[in-house]
Amino acid sequence: MQRLFPLLSKGRSAEAAALFADSVSFSIPHPPGIPWVPEVDSAQGMRTFFELLQTHVQAKEFDLRQIISEGDDVVLVGRMVSEVRRTGRNIDTAFALHATVRDGLITRYHLYEDTYAVAKAYFDD
């Protein structure tokens, strides 16, 4: 997990995806029609997700405030600000990411964020 965000901040999707297992439990609740959240169940799917995310959203701020770890599970809590390229509007949201790491590979990536803020930044014309 420690290597994931530095790789993503540099746009290195393939290397970030290599941190994931062949089978991944992926979940990001989101409004219908958000183009950067595909169906994902593998490391290759994570690469697609990261590439779509970089195509549609520009990261502006990432503030990791807390890491909680127990066994294979890690929960990251923080705040992120991203600009939706299509609208120029910011998504400013607190987040929690529940990840599981087994045998050195990430097997779970469940992200929780303010879906209203996502919808407002992407759809609100």
Side-chain angles (χ1 to χ4, degrees):
M1 285 304 303
Q2 297 169 356
R3 295 184 3 228
L4 178 62
F5 295 109
L7 288 171
L8 292 175
S9 71
K10 295 174 187 167
R12 295 163 62 179
S13 299
E15 290 173 70
L19 301 175
F20 287 80
D22 290 337
S23 179
V24 176
S25 174
F26 175 88
S27 176
I28 301 178
H30 61 283
I34 297 297
W36 59 84
V37 185
E39 295 293 320
V40 173
D41 64 1
S42 65
Q44 182 57 42
M46 291 304 300
R47 180 176 181 175
T48 299
F49 165 62
F50 296 142
E51 290 172 351
L52 284 170
L53 189 62
Q54 291 171 3
T55 298
H56 294 280
V57 177
Q58 171 66 46
K60 293 175 87 175
E61 294 178 42
F62 183 82
D63 180 18
L64 184 57
R65 295 182 178 166
Q66 188 174 16
I67 301 172
I68 304 161
S69 178
E70 184 175 313
D72 293 340
D73 290 304
V74 178
V75 175
L76 300 107
V77 178
R79 178 181 162 266
M80 59 186 162
V81 179
S82 305
E83 181 181 314
V84 176
R85 295 182 194 277
R86 184 176 81 86
T87 64
R89 293 189 190 100
N90 285 340
I91 303 168
D92 186 341
T93 181
F95 73 89
L97 172 62
H98 177 194
T100 301
V101 180
R102 289 201 179 101
D103 300 322
L105 295 173
I106 303 167
T107 61
R108 177 196 322 252
Y109 187 96
H110 291 196
L111 179 71
Y112 305 95
E113 62 186 343
D114 181 349
T115 56
Y116 178 73
V118 173
K120 191 158 178 58
Y122 186 74
F123 295 112
D124 200 17
D125 292 326

